[in-house]
Amino acid sequence: MNINQQCPARCLRYVSSCEQSSSFDSRLRTYHQVDHLTPRLTIPLLCLLLGEMEKLVACVQKKPGALCRLICFPWAGGGTSQLARWGKLFNDSIEVFCIRLPGRESRFEEPFASDMTSVVNEVTSVLLKELKEKPFAFFGHSFGTYVSLAVALHLKETYGLEPVHLFLSSAHAPNSAGHLTLKNGTIPDDDDDFLTCMEILGGNYKIPQDEDIRKTIVVTSRADSRVFQTFSFEKTENNIPFSCDITYFYGSDDKIYDAQGWRELTCGDTSFYQLPGDHFYLLKPSNESFLIKHITRCIENAGL
């Protein structure tokens, strides 16, 4: 079987459309840091990249003409189903990518991420081309807030890339006492004790009673909690990492978060919005509608 028969037709179509382009080789070097391969020999590498993208990213509605991408990072133990569907709710100017971490959904058989660095490296390596080609914004909820922040810090420090807006939700600022307390806490090995800690420390919400669901929540959330505890951030007096605007959302019935420190992470504007509900306020239809409209307005006003 020759190389063309081994690879999906979409890869061949991609290569055929790009081979005559003078920028094709440079794009391949961006992907692979390889400049001695001919375009045809890179087809398996393109297949691999497409596979990595589909593994990491859930995108329910592709919008090639979008002006901006909103990259969503779910909460501890979460998958992509809730936030990925936002892709159908935004207008055509915003395309939604939702990040799928290992150990869940189509990546169920993969081992969980060992630390925040491995998560950041995967997201960055797979999405770097997309992040360079058009403006992007981040939305993170709870644990996802810290993942989005870690990725944003790495992109700024390593590539000089910055989101046009950071949308953060239900999480202590990383330079706060509340964050340090959570980060340095002990993660219980007993399932019931862990669920109790989730209810006390992770936010005000009810754990489902279904045993299978509870078991899945425990296993996945415990793994994500260990990743969270490996996230490190040191704020110095002269260190303001971002220039983009930051918007912070939280539920009125959730626990109280040490959130004012988010102001110190940007020289842009910082806004705070309280919405009715508990830790998962964003799942209420009325709040979801508010978030979609507000995020759209912020991105459209970013001067893209």
Side-chain angles (χ1 to χ4, degrees), residues 57 161 169 174 188 217 275:
V57 172
L161 296 173
S169 173
I217 289 174
L275 297 174

Side-chain angles (χ1 to χ4, degrees), residues 210-274:
D210 182 276
E211 284 302 318
D212 290 337
I213 295 177
R214 288 168 70 91
K215 182 65 176 177
T216 300
I217 289 174
V218 167
V219 172
T220 312
S221 297
R222 183 184 283 125
D224 289 346
S225 297
R226 289 173 176 148
V227 169
F228 159 73
Q229 291 192 325
T230 67
F231 170 62
S232 60
F233 174 81
E234 293 185 9
K235 175 71 175 68
T236 61
E237 184 176 350
N238 298 320
N239 174 27
I240 301 177
F242 302 112
S243 60
C244 65
D245 291 350
I246 292 178
T247 302
Y248 176 81
F249 306 100
Y250 63 102
S252 58
D253 301 326
D254 199 359
K255 61 175 286 184
I256 297 174
Y257 292 98
D258 196 344
Q260 290 303 312
W262 291 115
R263 298 183 187 275
E264 301 174 13
L265 300 190
T266 184
C267 55
D269 293 334
T270 307
S271 304
F272 298 82
Y273 290 89
Q274 182 189 84

Side-chain angles (χ1 to χ4, degrees), residues 115-223:
D115 52 41
M116 189 67 81
T117 298
S118 65
V119 172
V120 169
N121 287 342
E122 180 184 18
V123 173
T124 303
S125 63
V126 173
L127 289 184
L128 186 58
K129 175 181 176 292
E130 282 69 24
L131 297 175
K132 285 182 174 181
E133 73 180 8
K134 66 176 60 177
F136 62 93
F138 284 174
F139 176 89
H141 177 74
S142 195
F143 165 71
T145 288
Y146 300 112
V147 180
S148 69
L149 179 61
V151 173
L153 288 167
H154 180 70
L155 288 170
K156 185 67 178 288
E157 294 168 0
T158 308
Y159 302 101
L161 296 173
E162 183 175 1
V164 297
H165 204 114
L166 281 171
F167 300 99
L168 311 173
S169 173
S170 301
H172 297 293
N175 50 327
S176 67
H179 173 261
L180 289 176
T181 299
L182 197 60
K183 174 181 168 64
N184 295 326
T186 301
I187 300 175
D189 292 325
D190 180 80
D191 288 357
D192 290 334
D193 289 344
F194 180 76
L195 287 171
T196 300
C197 279
M198 283 184 64
E199 293 176 324
I200 295 173
L201 299 176
N204 181 25
Y205 60 95
K206 292 290 186 181
I207 302 293
Q209 294 302 309
D210 182 276
E211 284 302 318
D212 290 337
I213 295 177
R214 288 168 70 91
K215 182 65 176 177
T216 300
I217 289 174
V218 167
V219 172
T220 312
S221 297
R222 183 184 283 125

Side-chain angles (χ1 to χ4, degrees), residues 36-97:
H36 64 278
L37 297 177
T38 64
R40 281 290 169 187
L41 292 178
T42 59
I43 294 175
L45 297 178
L46 287 169
C47 292
L48 176 62
L49 282 166
L50 286 169
E52 292 300 307
M53 174 71 81
E54 291 178 351
K55 185 170 68 171
L56 176 70
V57 172
C59 179
V60 299
Q61 187 162 330
K62 298 186 185 301
K63 301 175 183 178
L67 299 177
C68 181
R69 288 192 177 95
L70 178 67
I71 317 297
C72 295
F73 299 81
W75 46 90
T80 62
S81 57
Q82 287 88 358
L83 297 182
R85 61 180 290 276
W86 282 8
K88 296 182 177 180
L89 304 180
F90 281 99
N91 62 36
D92 288 341
S93 67
I94 299 174
E95 183 179 48
V96 175
F97 284 3

